[in-house]
Amino acid sequence: MLTSPAHSCAALLILATSAALRLDAQDTTAVERAAVSGKPSPMLFVTPLLSAGWSQTLGTPKAWKRTWGGYGSRVGDQLGYLAVKTTVRHLVDRAVPWVDDHSVCITPPVSLARETLTRAGCAIVRTSTLRTAHGDVRPNLPFLAGAVIGTATSLSWRPERQSAVSSRSFVLQRIAITYGATVFVRLVTDWRADARRRPEARPAAARSPAAP
């Protein structure tokens, strides 16, 4: 059997891979409102398998053993959570007229440390909020409702439901993980989008004026 440090390293590797896949799948982010209603990426359905592998490696919840049956329970949990979260987010997204903030977060040149901190702040704000047509800030109800209702629903089939303390711990943990992963994906996605907007990132032929 693997030692605890090995479990932790394997879990971190699975989590990092899952986050990287979400950069393309746009699973839990509000980077593009069109991503909610558009055709889902096939990678979206790989993420639950990796997330289940992460939970399997950590052995959570303990009631589900580290067996193929336990892995199946974890995959089912992740797929159920994804289905409820995505459905709720889609419905709420249609109910609110607010849009995502796509403005440039920061204009280089600045130090890497300052750029990273500023972009992290932008990612947190833009994960949590949307904008009205007049630029007023509103809570990101599609994402927040999807995460909360999806988590509460998934509790109905998880073993933590037997204990009030375990239930609260699970709900807080899953929402925190979902939020943190979304902020990270938003940070990287916006950083890449801003990099593509920079003149130096465009082909030389596109930057040069046409010859007379």
Side-chain angles (χ1 to χ4, degrees), residues 26-33 85 89 98-102 105 118-131 137-147 175-190:
Q26 299 296 327
D27 177 12
T28 56
T29 67
V31 175
E32 297 285 350
R33 285 170 64 85
K85 181 185 67 175
R89 184 180 161 196
W98 310 327
V99 296
D100 196 24
D101 185 357
H102 294 287
C105 179
T118 302
R119 289 188 180 280
C122 282
I124 292 173
V125 170
R126 293 176 180 181
T127 297
S128 307
T129 63
L130 295 173
R131 297 276 181 174
V137 177
R138 295 291 185 271
N140 189 346
L141 290 182
F143 167 72
L144 297 175
I175 292 175
I177 291 174
T178 299
Y179 183 80
T182 303
V183 169
F184 174 74
V185 173
R186 179 71 194 244
L187 167 67
V188 178
T189 305
D190 280 2

Side-chain angles (χ1 to χ4, degrees), residues 142-155:
F143 167 72
L144 297 175
V148 172
I149 295 176
T151 299
T153 302
S154 65
L155 184 62

Side-chain angles (χ1 to χ4, degrees), residues 74-118:
R74 292 178 174 93
V75 171
D77 167 55
Q78 291 292 331
L79 289 174
Y81 170 62
L82 175 63
V84 174
K85 181 185 67 175
T86 303
T87 301
V88 170
R89 184 180 161 196
H90 177 86
L91 294 175
V92 178
D93 182 74
R94 290 291 172 267
V96 297
W98 310 327
V99 296
D100 196 24
D101 185 357
H102 294 287
S103 61
V104 176
C105 179
I106 188 171
T107 303
V110 294
S111 67
L112 179 60
R114 179 181 175 185
E115 182 173 11
T116 301
L117 289 174
T118 302

